[in-house]
Amino acid sequence: MKLVKTNTTYLTFFLFVACFYMLLNSCTNNTSINKDHLVFRYNEHANINTLDPAFSRTLQDTWVSNQLFNGLVQLDSDLNILPCIAKNWTISDDGLHYSFTLRDDVYFHKHELFGKDSTRIVVAEDFKYSFNRLRDEKIAAPGNWVLKKVNDFEAVNDTLFKIELKQPFPAFIGLLSMKYCSVIPKEIAEHYGNDFRSHPIGTGPFQFKRWEENIKLVFRKNNNYFEKDSNGIPLPYLEAVAITFLPDKQSEFLQFAQGNIDFLNSLDASYKDELLTADGQLRNTYKETINMIQGPYLNSEYLGFYLDSKTPEIQSELIRKAINYGFDRKKMMIYLRNDIGNPANGGFIPKGLPGHNESIGFSYQPEKAKQLVEQFKKESGISKPEITLTTTSNYLSFCEFIQRELGKTGLIIKVDVMPEATLRTARSNGKVDMFRSSWIADYLDAENYLSIFYSKNFAPNGSNYFHFKNAQFDSLYNKAFTITNIEERKHIYTTMDSIAMQNAIMVPLYYDEVVRFTRKNVSGLGINPINLLDLRRVKKN
């Protein structure tokens, strides 16, 4: 879509932008943020659903939760597990018992319900309450799966919190770094009930100030935050964070180019050629005003099949394999992503995680794809095989590329575009035959990826959107929990991934890369392989 078509639409568009920017400044002034050079501004085109960490299932919700809340442990930029509210911990020899010693200087954000001091110190009972709330069936938090392997937990005293697992799980400590496991205060959460989603009180580097849904979200600096930098200077450096919700990525880019927002996350088709050369380099036009940061991303982009579909083409392994063989992933990356990311010619597990193997996937073999489609035609009697592929508008170009390529094999692909939330619901309820999706690592173990093929995780009660069931796979999945040796686990993970690929239950597209663009006056943002937004050490000059 072109930015403007006529002088009239050109004028209308820029009047809209001007009015929006005046509104942005007005909202900022109304929240008493006077140090504009210390306000980090970004746009969230996908919107934000909640500020309650127990419900932060999307990347955008996790980003805001990360500014407001803390847990027992946290990840650094290399995904090492570090202390957070827990200053240290021990794990028993049998791998079942975890003991966390808490800091005694972590305070909740101020709120009148805390009494005369307007705040209080976090104690172990707060973690007990937060974990019980997370797995409370009445709350129905999507993050409750994090504690499925937990047998019990207890607050021994104010600074000692213990967790007992049902069975050893080496990746468990990584699970605790997820925002689902953040600590929240009982008196505030119970006072607001469901409205805690828009009245959050945590311990994070920023505290909630104002949320006009679909318009603007503002956080202020938490002056009582417990973490300091290596020089002993309290974090965060910024005074505030201001988030807007322009749904159009072109408008978002325009705001960024004009300096009205400080940061762009990832690469969108609407502006990729404006910013980058064909080989993924920042264009000279922007080198003096913009920084580009790039690195690995534990994110697998894929097309999935709903195997319980009544559509013969979806049920056919021949057609599913033909789709895997039928398009050139490298060509797709060059033309549609300016060579940002890696073609997924391996399995579902992305590069960077133990278990990834390039040899178990599909290469580009157009003749073989044609043969498989012809074989399906003969065996089924269907002369014009057809599948509907459902996607969001952001990935329409990828799906149209695949549509064109597969048309050469004799397979008709119809592309249906839905809003993200609608597609998410339809996918979970088995209402779409073939869908575009992605899986971002929640924690640093390939089990995180393979869990979506486990038969007991059928959607809508789990993340097995494919309704894939395989006895060998399930047996290996259960066995992996009993093995602590990483090399042995790696072999099992590769075997499990290869089973999924042999059955062609999905089509890996590419292993993504984190790409961030910031204005030149922004420093300290950095990147990490799970694309978590960490604003504690960000500075603006």
Side-chain angles (χ1 to χ4, degrees):
M1 182 179 73
K2 293 183 179 179
L3 184 63
V4 290
K5 290 184 178 180
T6 67
N7 290 335
T8 302
T9 54
Y10 181 90
L11 179 61
T12 301
F13 178 81
F14 278 96
L15 283 172
F16 164 77
V17 170
C19 291
F20 178 83
Y21 189 48
M22 290 173 62
L23 175 62
L24 185 152
N25 286 333
S26 173
C27 290
T28 299
N29 292 333
N30 288 339
T31 52
S32 303
I33 300 171
N34 300 317
K35 302 175 181 178
D36 185 61
H37 67 287
L38 293 177
V39 180
F40 186 84
R41 305 157 302 172
Y42 77 92
N43 184 70
E44 184 48 75
H45 77 280
N47 219 322
I48 287 168
N49 306 299
T50 181
L51 303 178
D52 185 338
F55 291 81
S56 58
R57 64 187 301 175
T58 66
L59 184 63
Q60 60 268 26
D61 292 345
T62 301
W63 277 14
V64 292
S65 287
N66 197 46
Q67 317 315 319
L68 299 172
F69 299 95
N70 297 103
L72 291 166
V73 297
Q74 60 186 328
L75 300 174
D76 67 9
S77 59
D78 295 320
L79 303 188
N80 297 308
I81 297 168
L82 302 178
C84 191
I85 295 179
K87 59 184 179 181
N88 57 61
W89 61 89
T90 59
I91 305 172
S92 62
D93 292 340
D94 61 9
L96 293 175
H97 299 88
Y98 291 67
S99 298
F100 297 89
T101 302
L102 308 187
R103 299 175 63 124
D104 60 4
D105 61 348
V106 181
Y107 289 84
F108 284 113
H109 300 152
K110 289 189 175 183
H111 195 285
E112 59 185 13
L113 287 176
F114 285 128
K116 65 175 184 177
D117 294 329
S118 298
T119 185
R120 66 170 176 81
I121 293 175
V122 173
V123 295
E125 279 290 340
D126 293 313
F127 276 100
K128 182 178 179 180
Y129 169 76
S130 300
F131 281 23
N132 275 323
R133 178 177 181 267
L134 184 60
R135 64 179 184 178
D136 186 344
E137 293 181 358
K138 294 179 181 178
I139 297 292
N144 62 9
W145 64 268
V146 171
L147 300 179
K148 292 294 186 183
K149 296 176 177 64
V150 172
N151 182 47
D152 198 11
F153 40 81
E154 63 171 329
V156 179
N157 54 46
D158 283 355
T159 58
L160 183 58
F161 184 64
K162 291 188 174 182
I163 301 175
E164 178 188 4
L165 301 187
K166 298 174 183 176
Q167 63 186 90
F169 182 41
F172 178 68
I173 193 72
L175 280 179
L176 293 177
S177 71
M178 298 181 66
K179 302 319 294 183
Y180 293 136
C181 299
S182 300
V183 67
I184 64 172
K186 177 180 180 180
E187 54 265 65
I188 309 297
E190 294 194 345
H191 172 77
Y192 285 112
N194 292 336
D195 286 337
F196 186 74
R197 68 175 289 278
S198 56
H199 296 82
I201 293 293
T203 61
F206 297 93
Q207 56 191 6
F208 173 72
K209 180 64 179 178
R210 181 180 181 181
W211 187 16
E212 296 178 56
E213 293 196 41
N214 303 313
I215 300 175
K216 191 172 184 70
L217 175 61
V218 178
F219 300 150
R220 294 295 304 271
K221 177 179 182 176
N222 174 14
N223 290 312
N224 290 326
Y225 191 59
F226 60 94
E227 289 190 290
K228 296 178 172 62
D229 67 14
S230 57
N231 295 317
I233 299 174
L235 298 173
Y237 304 126
L238 296 165
E239 284 294 323
V241 178
I243 307 166
T244 52
F245 300 98
L246 284 171
D248 178 29
K249 294 289 285 185
Q250 285 185 338
S251 301
E252 178 182 275
F253 173 70
L254 182 61
Q255 289 293 299
F256 176 67
Q258 293 179 338
N260 296 331
I261 58 177
D262 302 305
F263 159 69
L264 278 182
N265 175 58
S266 91
L267 197 63
D268 189 76
S270 65
Y271 57 75
K272 67 180 181 65
D273 294 325
E274 170 71 15
L275 269 179
L276 301 182
T277 61
D279 60 352
Q281 301 300 308
L282 193 63
R283 291 192 181 277
N284 292 333
T285 313
Y286 293 100
K287 283 186 176 179
E288 292 185 3
T289 57
I290 291 174
N291 287 324
M292 175 179 170
I293 322 169
Q294 183 178 352
Y297 190 10
L298 297 182
N299 173 30
S300 292
E301 298 282 342
Y302 70 95
L303 306 179
F305 300 104
Y306 179 59
L307 301 182
D308 280 345
S309 167
K310 303 301 182 184
T311 305
E313 290 88 339
I314 295 294
Q315 294 176 349
S316 171
E317 188 175 304
L318 295 171
I319 292 295
R320 300 198 304 267
K321 286 185 175 179
I323 294 173
N324 268 288
Y325 284 122
F327 65 100
D328 188 339
R329 291 166 175 82
K330 179 63 178 175
K331 181 180 177 182
M332 178 183 73
M333 298 306 294
I334 291 173
Y335 287 103
L336 299 180
R337 288 276 296 180
N338 294 63
D339 217 19
I340 300 294
N342 298 290
N345 292 316
F348 189 60
I349 301 172
K351 287 184 174 182
L353 277 185
H356 172 79
N357 191 311
E358 282 291 324
S359 69
I360 64 175
F362 292 86
S363 58
Y364 177 47
Q365 299 185 46
E367 290 305 316
K368 189 166 187 176
K370 289 180 183 178
Q371 292 171 7
L372 291 170
V373 172
E374 287 302 317
Q375 185 178 345
F376 170 80
K377 290 179 179 179
K378 291 178 181 178
E379 294 180 2
S380 66
I382 298 174
S383 60
K384 294 182 178 180
E386 180 180 303
I387 289 178
T388 298
L389 168 57
T390 308
T391 184
T392 59
S393 58
N394 287 342
Y395 290 87
L396 179 59
S397 59
F398 288 89
C399 295
E400 288 179 338
F401 172 83
I402 293 167
Q403 178 188 48
R404 288 192 298 270
E405 294 299 299
L406 291 176
K408 301 171 186 176
T409 71
L411 177 63
I412 300 169
I413 300 289
K414 289 190 173 180
V415 179
D416 186 19
V417 179
M418 288 184 180
E420 183 178 344
T422 306
L423 176 54
R424 192 184 307 123
T425 300
R427 181 189 64 195
S428 294
N429 294 320
K431 300 299 184 182
V432 287
D433 282 350
M434 185 181 178
F435 53 88
R436 191 225 64 88
S437 191
S438 61
W439 191 262
I440 303 170
D442 293 316
Y443 52 93
L444 304 183
D445 194 278
E447 183 271 339
N448 185 202
Y449 284 84
L450 300 171
S451 66
I452 72 172
F453 306 134
Y454 185 50
S455 65
K456 292 185 179 180
N457 289 337
F458 271 23
N461 299 316
S463 51
N464 187 342
Y465 309 116
F466 322 91
H467 280 205
F468 175 64
K469 186 173 184 178
N470 181 283
Q472 183 187 4
F473 183 96
D474 286 355
S475 176
L476 289 170
Y477 182 81
N478 291 322
K479 181 181 178 181
F481 292 120
T482 67
I483 296 170
T484 56
N485 181 283
I486 188 60
E487 287 302 317
E488 193 173 350
R489 285 166 67 83
K490 177 180 176 180
H491 175 71
I492 290 178
Y493 288 155
T494 301
T495 303
M496 293 164 65
D497 202 5
S498 67
I499 292 172
M501 296 309 298
Q502 288 164 14
N503 285 272
I505 61 177
M506 44 80 194
V507 183
L509 298 177
Y510 61 93
Y511 312 120
D512 207 356
E513 289 183 311
V514 176
V515 182
R516 292 178 172 179
F517 303 94
T518 66
R519 304 293 303 179
K520 281 288 187 182
N521 65 333
V522 174
S523 62
L525 182 62
I527 55 173
N528 54 77
I530 57 172
N531 200 19
L532 184 65
L533 186 65
D534 183 356
L535 299 178
R536 288 173 298 172
R537 293 173 173 80
V538 170
K539 294 180 179 179
K540 282 183 67 178
N541 302 322

